[in-house]
Amino acid sequence: MAQFPTDPAQINAWAKNTLGEHLGIEITAVGERTITGRMPVDHRTHQPMGLLHGGASVALAETLGSIGATLQVDIRKKACVGLEINANHLKGVKSGYVVGHATALHVGRSTQVWEIRITHEETGALVCISRITMAVVDLPPAAQPQA
């Protein structure tokens, strides 16, 4: 794993002042090639009909896939950026929390592919399934920390 925080509390602190924090996304568990987080279904994540906004589900999926991918590289030399994401929204949710569980399907030198399954925390119902492809890019020398 990378030189990056793997404790959920450290990752949550690292995400201060980001979209994830604004939406209430919190990382709850980190594994070798998995990461889990949850997001509230409330006024921040609703669409006008009072249901979980599909874009909020995609934001949760991309947050988990991006952090998971970053945990696989040496962040002193590499960065992971979203290349493509898709999502199938399967069930509406009005309240509570949704939980996203991201699993690496492919971890390569130049790309990674992650699957994210989002379920309703209370019922366990599958709400959304997403897949993100991450590009693994070299940091420019100026951005690399000096030893």
Side-chain angles (χ1 to χ4, degrees):
M1 278 200 189
Q3 304 287 326
F4 187 85
T6 56
D7 174 61
Q10 289 178 297
I11 294 171
N12 289 324
W14 183 73
K16 188 97 172 125
N17 296 320
T18 67
L19 175 69
E21 180 187 50
H22 179 72
L23 295 178
I25 295 171
E26 65 178 306
I27 304 305
T28 57
V30 178
E32 188 173 329
R33 289 192 176 195
T34 64
I35 187 164
T36 303
R38 70 185 207 145
M39 179 178 68
V41 180
D42 62 17
H43 68 282
R44 295 169 290 181
T45 57
H46 278 161
Q47 42 93 310
M49 292 177 15
L51 295 169
L52 176 63
H53 192 293
S57 294
V58 174
L60 174 59
E62 182 144 0
T63 298
L64 295 173
S66 295
I67 294 170
T70 299
L71 291 172
Q72 308 305 310
V73 302
D74 181 347
I75 63 168
R76 296 168 299 180
K77 298 178 182 176
K78 302 282 185 179
C80 295
V81 295
L83 189 61
E84 189 273 340
I85 189 165
N86 67 50
N88 294 103
H89 306 289
L90 306 172
K91 184 167 184 58
V93 177
K94 291 186 175 189
S95 62
Y97 281 83
V98 288
V99 175
H101 183 73
T103 304
L105 301 177
H106 166 74
V107 177
R109 286 188 316 231
S110 60
T111 61
Q112 295 185 33
V113 178
W114 287 73
E115 177 184 74
I116 304 93
R117 297 175 67 83
I118 300 174
T119 58
H120 188 256
E121 187 175 61
E122 186 177 312
T123 66
L126 185 60
V127 173
C128 176
I129 187 151
S130 180
R131 187 177 64 227
I132 187 167
T133 301
M134 303 295 298
V136 180
V137 299
D138 292 328
L139 286 176
Q144 294 179 12
Q146 302 303 313

